[in-house]
């Protein structure tokens, strides 16, 4: 029976770390094959799982054996496999599913980019332009539509899971309008509109993103009469007037792009507008291994970064905002509550 192991001595631990790609690849394979979806609530023989996901039993056993070492799936003494709390998160129907996050973090372009991390560290710039001849998001949308779809699904999952926390935190009493800038499919603005029945909202994001907006916001949806969906790039312009602007988990590009987006919001809102920036920070999170890894991935793809409290605050004040408060949304997210000065 294979189980998650206790920490080995340093020489073996380092050997395990340099094989980190094997763990990432195993998770990707399990997600793509739908193993977690095929595995029910009772322990199942590998032969039955293999038939369900259309693989050979022998290689599937090897894949599952590798993942059980990390606590993803469990192997019983009779050779059957069962779910663990982590493996259930690979199911597409789990309310806390991380299936698309797993796929996004292991998409084909990542395997091209990671070996060039030393180059990115030397130069401070992204490596994607050198690999593909164009910036990351144009490459994604023009040349890698399947990866673009995975990205959108991953961001939707993340946004949906945190939207209620954001709505619970923000007191928008006295405000009549809210704009979700770079808000993906609009789960945050939808949650806020449900909380405040007299409020009107706007969702701004790229055209191919907002065309798949939350059904509540689209024509015929329960919130459609109180929301405006605006296709556009907030780094180019913010054609949206609102009392409150919410910017969640997008100010991770290069500094110039971040500054342009903030200047656009400030110009659109004008003096007195409230701007709430929500980010997960690398200096105040219980998930430092994940956050610092994402920080390096952002360096590779867009020349961006995850922020510390100080670096985020610095970018906001440099743009011209006054920070009124910084407080946690949940254990992984913090809100910077700002005002455009008079």
């Amino acid at each position: 029976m294979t189980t998650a192991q206790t920490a080995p001595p340093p020489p073996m631990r380092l050997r395990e770390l340099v094989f980190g790609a094997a763990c990432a690849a195993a998770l990707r394979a399990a997600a793509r094959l739908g193993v977690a979806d095929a595995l029910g609530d009772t322990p199942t023989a590998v032969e039955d799982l293999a038939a369900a996901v259309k693989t050979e039993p022998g290689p599937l056993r090897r894949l599952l054996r590798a993942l059980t070492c990390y606590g993803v799936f469990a192997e019983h003494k009779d050779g059957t496999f069962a779910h663990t709390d982590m493996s259930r998160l690979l199911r597409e129907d789990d309310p806390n599913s991380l299936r698309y996050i797993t796929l996004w973090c292991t998409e084909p372009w990542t395997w091209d980019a990671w070996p060039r991390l030393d180059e990115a560290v030397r130069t401070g710039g992204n490596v994607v332009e050198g690999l593909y001849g164009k910036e990351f998001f144009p490459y994604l949308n023009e040349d890698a539509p399947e990866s673009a779809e995975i990205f959108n699904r991953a961001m939707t999952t993340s946004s949906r899971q945190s939207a209620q926390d954001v709505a619970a935190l923000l007191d928008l009493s006295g405000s009549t309008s809210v704009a979700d800038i770079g808000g993906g499919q609009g789960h945050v603005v939808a949650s806020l509109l449900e909380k405040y029945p007299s409020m009107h909202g706007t969702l701004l994001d790229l055209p191919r993103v907002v065309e798949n907006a939350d059904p509540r916001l689209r024509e015929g949806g329960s919130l459609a009469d109180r929301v405006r969906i605006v296709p556009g790039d907030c780094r180019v312009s913010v054609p949206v007037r609102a009392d409150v602007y919410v910017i969640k988990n997008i100010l991770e590009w290069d500094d110039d792009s971040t500054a342009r987006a903030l200047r656009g919001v400030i110009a659109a809102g004008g003096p007195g507008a409230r701007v709430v920036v929500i980010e997960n920070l690398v200096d105040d999170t219980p998930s430092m291994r994940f956050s610092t890894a994402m920080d390096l991935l952002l360096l590779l793809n867009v020349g961006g970064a995850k922020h510390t409290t100080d670096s985020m605050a610095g970018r906001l004040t440099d743009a011209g905002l006054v920070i009124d408060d910084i407080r946690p949304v949940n254990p992984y997210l913090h809100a910077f509550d700002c005002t455009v000065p008079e």
Side-chain angles (χ1 to χ4, degrees), residues 35-153:
V35 177
D37 299 282
L39 182 58
D41 292 330
T42 57
T44 303
V46 73
E47 291 78 11
D48 294 331
L49 272 179
V53 299
K54 297 180 173 57
T55 67
E56 290 295 319
L60 181 60
R61 181 183 296 279
R62 293 161 66 181
L63 176 68
L64 291 170
R65 181 177 60 198
L67 288 170
T68 60
C69 294
Y70 297 93
V72 184
F73 301 107
E75 183 180 9
H76 290 182
K77 290 182 178 179
D78 62 0
T80 59
F81 287 89
H83 271 301
T84 63
D85 288 344
M86 278 200 289
S87 66
R88 290 184 188 279
L89 297 175
L90 291 176
R91 291 183 61 95
E92 191 158 359
D93 62 359
D94 190 277
N96 299 307
S97 176
L98 294 177
R99 181 176 186 269
Y100 287 104
I101 298 293
T102 299
L103 292 172
W104 167 241
C105 292
T106 56
E107 277 297 282
W109 67 268
T110 67
W111 302 94
D112 293 336
W114 279 121
R116 300 194 179 200
L117 181 58
D118 58 330
E119 175 187 330
V121 171
R122 284 194 199 100
T123 65
N126 76 76
V127 303
V128 163
E129 287 183 69
L131 283 168
Y132 304 120
K134 57 182 69 175
E135 291 183 353
F136 179 66
F137 283 105
Y139 159 73
L140 203 66
N141 289 305
E142 296 166 10
D143 301 338
E146 289 185 9
S147 282
E149 176 63 18
I150 291 295
F151 172 75
N152 291 334
R153 285 177 175 264

Side-chain angles (χ1 to χ4, degrees), residues 177-196:
S177 57
V178 59
D180 193 357
I181 304 302
Q185 295 182 339
H187 299 292
V188 169
V189 71
S191 295
L192 289 168
L193 293 180
E194 287 183 334
K195 181 179 179 181
Y196 296 99

Side-chain angles (χ1 to χ4, degrees), residues 153-229:
R153 285 177 175 264
M155 296 305 101
T156 295
T157 296
S158 178
S159 180
R160 182 186 293 119
Q161 291 171 354
S162 59
Q164 290 298 325
D165 291 337
V166 172
L169 172 79
L170 295 183
D171 182 358
L172 303 188
S173 303
S175 300
T176 61
S177 57
V178 59
D180 193 357
I181 304 302
Q185 295 182 339
H187 299 292
V188 169
V189 71
S191 295
L192 289 168
L193 293 180
E194 287 183 334
K195 181 179 179 181
Y196 296 99
S198 63
M199 182 172 285
H200 285 74
T202 304
L203 170 65
L204 171 69
D205 210 319
L206 299 173
R208 68 173 295 156
V209 177
V210 297
E211 69 184 14
N212 294 309
D214 188 307
R216 291 172 291 177
L217 306 179
R218 299 201 299 266
E219 185 176 355
S222 59
L223 303 171
D225 61 340
R226 292 194 286 127
V227 72
R228 185 165 65 105
I229 297 176

